Amino acid sequence: MERKGCTAKKKAAIGDWAAGCSAFSWETEDQRHLWGRNFDFNRIADGSNVTYIPRGRDFYTFGTELEDSLDRDTRQTTDYAAVGVGVLLFPSTPVLYEGINEKGLMGGQLYYREFACFPQEKEDGRLPLQPPFAVTYFLTKCATVQEVIERLQEVTLVGQPLLGAGWGSRFSGRFPRFTGPFQTKPERRSS
């Protein structure tokens, strides 16, 4: 079902393919699963790094302390450890662009500027989830693809701006770096 305004937005975006990530997966002859992706940007957010999220850590699915928008009712605790490429801009929730969890579940965010459309409001009875936090949420809460499918019935992806930008817009500028319970090694600073 198309959301109001999404069709025109998608048609307009098709003419501007300046960036768009792709992913691929396959099963090997010995039944192993491989997943890969490209990253169609000339830069990523400052502070992006290999990020480890341990089991048993609290995080939030909506809002940030940095913007004074944190919805404390969305607090979750990780069931599974995950590692991937991400950024630790928010002490409340790390952002994984892609990763893998301790059960072998893999996934990533694919970016198509102005192509995705999400409701702007939270839906009663469902956990609000901002798209930048989706990979973190699913990798730390699910062991299988089937569990992801089931959890999708319990959440609403909400298109609320993050750092003043709607998801699907580029982040620009330098952001403060935070360390917290999600970072497992000291951050290297350039001199």
Side-chain angles (χ1 to χ4, degrees):
M1 173 152 96
E2 288 288 330
R3 294 198 198 327
K4 192 173 186 178
C6 286
T7 302
K9 197 179 213 184
K10 287 178 183 178
K11 286 180 182 175
I14 289 172
D16 181 20
W17 288 101
C21 301
S22 301
F24 56 91
S25 66
W26 68 96
E27 185 177 340
T28 64
E29 289 180 4
D30 59 351
Q31 274 60 64
R32 296 183 184 262
H33 296 271
L34 304 171
W35 183 84
R37 58 99 39 99
N38 71 332
F39 202 73
D40 282 351
F41 291 104
N42 60 359
R43 66 180 287 280
I44 59 176
D46 291 336
S48 295
N49 209 340
V50 173
T51 303
Y52 172 75
I53 305 170
R55 187 179 331 123
R57 295 295 183 168
D58 289 342
F59 69 99
Y60 296 85
T61 65
F62 194 85
T64 68
E65 290 173 329
L66 182 64
E67 297 178 297
D68 197 29
S69 62
L70 187 64
D71 181 343
R72 297 205 180 274
D73 291 336
T74 69
R75 187 173 97 188
Q76 303 287 305
T77 301
T78 60
D79 294 327
Y80 305 105
V83 65
V85 175
V87 66
L88 299 168
L89 296 175
F90 316 107
S92 54
T93 303
V95 174
L96 287 178
Y97 308 132
E98 67 264 333
I100 185 170
N101 73 13
E102 66 184 87
K103 296 295 184 179
L105 182 65
M106 301 171 274
Q109 295 182 37
L110 301 181
Y111 179 88
Y112 297 95
R113 182 177 48 252
E114 302 300 326
F115 216 68
C117 295
F118 304 105
Q120 297 301 304
E121 300 296 324
K122 301 174 189 177
E123 194 174 314
D124 287 340
R126 296 179 76 144
L127 179 70
L129 176 61
Q130 282 179 278
F133 303 143
V135 173
T136 299
Y137 175 76
F138 291 116
L139 290 183
T140 63
K141 299 299 286 181
C142 301
T144 66
V145 172
Q146 183 59 42
E147 287 182 27
V148 172
I149 292 167
E150 290 166 10
R151 286 209 180 247
L152 280 167
Q153 305 309 308
E154 302 168 3
V155 302
T156 298
L157 287 167
V158 181
Q160 290 296 313
L162 184 65
L163 296 176
W167 201 243
S169 300
R170 293 180 189 236
F171 293 140
S172 60
R174 297 188 63 83
F175 304 118
R177 295 181 184 200
F178 293 98
T179 58
F182 301 108
Q183 191 164 353
T184 59
K185 64 178 185 163
E187 187 175 307
R188 289 187 227 186
R189 303 258 183 204
S190 56
S191 42

